[in-house]
Amino acid sequence: MTERAPRHPRDAWHQPRGRGHRHAPRRRTLSRDVIIAAALRIVDRDGVDAVTMRAVADELDTGAASLYAHVQDKDELLAAVFDHVLGDIVFDAVPDPKRWQEQIKEFSRTYVRVLTAHNDLAKVSLGSIPTGSNGVRGMEAMLSVLAASGLPGQVIGYAADLLGQFVTVTAYETAVFAKNTGSPEDLAEFHHRLLTFFGSLSAIEFPTITALAPDLVQPDEAEDARFEFGLDIIVRGLAAHLPPKRRGA
């Protein structure tokens, strides 16, 4: 029987390991930030309703139970995701009493732009007030501009609530509308069907609707104009509450 030549030491590196030498796949170290990032990926891809503790765990290739060491539940996780995104709002303008109206508009535009970049994330803040660190910083920035205007404190309180509702609902509606209409062709078809519906109504029974039908159905490119119109109405309304001596400012 012929003896085999002894193996070269380096050949040992190419030999299959026994069971006792196998290493488990290396898992990503979990942290609150890692979990938030995974949840945000799901929101961007599939929307807020797709976020569950199980879905986030699957995204991270781990068990759902391991997440609870970092977040209490899905509601806390979504609130953290929302606050994380608010950190993208950059508004460091010094409050200017002479430009407060334009500054409030600039802040509102930025807020909507940041939220609409993340699918329907705005849904998270409907019916609630963001109290995370970034949310509070944003609130301070907005309130400081309103305070510089000279508006009474109670009016500022109402204004903060009104502006918060307006920008959040605008962002959420934009996401929902985009999801429901799909492509630009689908959107054009939607507008066509809506205009046809209004046109089919009885001009005797619904004279105002039929007369204004072309103005009621706006193309997609008019969405920015619609937002600016609403924002202008709100800011002008706030200005009407300035003390008489400050209305010219």
Side-chain angles (χ1 to χ4, degrees), residues 13-248:
W13 293 101
H14 301 283
Q15 303 308 310
R17 293 179 180 269
R19 284 182 175 269
H21 295 284
R22 289 182 180 175
H23 292 283
R26 186 176 182 181
R27 290 186 175 183
R28 183 184 312 183
T29 301
L30 281 183
S31 68
R32 187 178 175 87
D33 289 343
V34 167
I35 294 170
I36 289 172
L40 182 57
R41 288 196 298 272
I42 295 174
V43 170
D44 289 345
R45 186 176 64 235
D46 304 315
V48 166
D49 291 341
V51 177
T52 64
M53 298 299 275
R54 169 58 59 189
V56 175
D58 290 344
E59 182 80 10
L60 294 171
D61 191 27
T62 188
S66 63
L67 305 183
Y68 290 100
H70 305 278
V71 291
Q72 182 175 345
D73 53 27
K74 184 182 79 171
D75 290 339
E76 181 184 315
L77 174 56
L78 285 173
V81 171
F82 187 83
D83 191 67
H84 171 76
V85 168
L86 292 186
D88 292 337
I89 296 178
V90 178
F91 187 78
D92 53 5
V94 177
D96 184 348
K98 294 182 179 180
R99 293 190 63 251
W100 73 269
Q101 295 187 45
E102 186 54 39
Q103 287 184 324
I104 283 297
K105 290 181 180 181
E106 290 170 358
F107 178 83
S108 300
R109 292 175 191 127
T110 302
Y111 198 100
V112 169
R113 185 167 59 250
V114 167
L115 288 187
T116 53
H118 295 285
N119 207 331
D120 61 348
L121 181 62
K123 181 179 181 179
V124 173
S125 68
L126 292 176
S128 65
I129 299 176
T131 56
S133 58
N134 290 323
V136 173
R137 289 189 186 95
M139 184 184 299
E140 174 64 23
M142 180 179 68
L143 292 177
S144 65
V145 172
L146 291 172
S149 71
L151 286 167
Q154 185 62 79
V155 172
I156 293 174
Y158 290 147
D161 186 53
L162 178 60
L163 285 164
Q165 289 179 14
F166 179 66
V167 296
T168 301
V169 170
T170 295
Y172 180 59
E173 184 184 63
T174 298
V176 172
F177 202 69
K179 180 179 180 179
N180 291 340
T181 55
S183 68
E185 292 75 19
D186 292 336
L187 183 59
E189 175 61 22
F190 169 78
H191 286 141
H192 174 72
R193 285 189 283 107
L194 189 58
L195 190 59
T196 300
F197 168 73
F198 286 149
S200 69
L201 297 175
S202 168
I204 296 176
E205 189 175 2
F206 305 102
T208 310
I209 294 178
T210 53
L212 292 176
D215 296 305
L216 297 176
V217 182
Q218 298 294 321
D220 187 47
E221 54 267 22
E223 287 303 304
D224 286 344
R226 185 173 72 130
F227 172 71
E228 289 294 330
F229 175 79
L231 189 57
D232 188 59
I233 291 295
I234 292 174
V235 172
R236 285 174 181 265
L238 291 176
H241 288 273
L242 285 170
K245 62 181 180 180
R246 297 296 297 270
R247 289 180 187 174

